[in-house]
Amino acid sequence: MFDKSSFEEMKKEIESLLEGRKDKLEPICQYLYDHVPYYNWVGFYLVDGSKKLRLGPYVGEPTVHTTISFGQGICGQAAQTKHNFVIQDVTKETNYLSCSPDVKSEIVIPMMKNGKVIGELDIDSHYLSPFDEKDEAFLEWICKILTSE
Ligand code: SME
């Protein structure tokens, strides 16, 4: 069983993994996918100039949702509201874009720079209700280090 207290150790590993790297997003996706058993799709959406999200680096099954408008789906709502979205059961959502029938839950953390959303970290899980405030804090920490340079 995965113990969420490992997030603290993982933060240190992530810091060394990213040190001196310009392409940080892809290694983060791979690291999270490899280390957290219930992170079954890990990717970034990046905001383009026209209130749209475009799929960036990801690890997991290919998705048809390569462009998402603000407001659309969980990702678009997170971008529009600048809030984290933690969805423990996607079947309960009306504004949701399905990528795969295997996905049961999802967490989306916006990446902010100067008060604006510049992208987001999106994680899908094949498990129901796997996310808690520890995941949220860990993933917020990741988004912060990515935007703080
Ligand atoms: N489920 C997302 C779409 C993106 S996939 O999870 C990769 C949503 O509802 O916005």
Side-chain angles (χ1 to χ4, degrees):
M1 243 251 329
F2 181 76
D3 179 355
K4 294 192 190 202
S5 62
S6 356
F7 284 149
E8 288 312 310
E9 198 50 44
M10 289 168 63
K11 284 187 189 177
K12 292 182 202 143
E13 285 183 8
I14 290 172
E15 275 174 340
S16 15
L17 175 76
L18 297 185
E19 213 175 288
R21 284 195 75 138
K22 284 221 155 58
D23 58 328
K24 296 179 194 292
L25 302 187
E26 203 280 328
I28 287 265
C29 292
Q30 193 66 58
Y31 182 90
L32 294 176
Y33 183 89
D34 289 343
H35 288 80
V36 186
Y38 56 93
Y39 289 1
N40 305 121
W41 188 96
V42 181
F44 287 92
Y45 281 92
L46 302 171
V47 174
D48 78 4
S50 53
K51 299 254 170 202
K52 277 200 167 30
L53 294 160
R54 289 195 195 284
L55 183 61
Y58 70 94
V59 174
E61 290 293 306
T63 173
V64 292
H65 301 297
T66 52
T67 307
I68 298 175
S69 299
F70 276 36
Q72 207 192 358
I74 307 303
C75 291
Q77 293 178 80
Q80 194 166 52
T81 61
K82 304 178 180 172
H83 291 146
N84 299 342
F85 270 64
V86 184
I87 308 298
Q88 305 290 11
D89 179 354
V90 296
T91 63
K92 302 225 161 80
E93 296 300 306
T94 46
N95 188 0
Y96 169 70
L97 304 169
S98 174
C99 290
S100 145
D102 295 333
V103 174
K104 301 230 170 24
S105 56
E106 175 165 14
I107 186 167
V108 182
I109 310 288
M111 293 159 68
M112 306 292 299
K113 190 138 204 177
N114 303 324
K116 286 194 166 161
V117 184
I118 57 163
E120 54 190 35
L121 173 56
D122 178 20
I123 298 180
D124 287 341
S125 177
H126 295 169
Y127 300 85
L128 274 175
S129 303
F131 306 118
D132 66 16
E133 61 288 345
K134 290 206 174 93
D135 297 86
E136 223 173 326
F138 173 56
L139 300 172
E140 278 177 0
W141 176 85
I142 290 177
C143 288
K144 209 155 274 166
I145 59 165
L146 291 172
T147 52
S148 66
E149 283 160 13

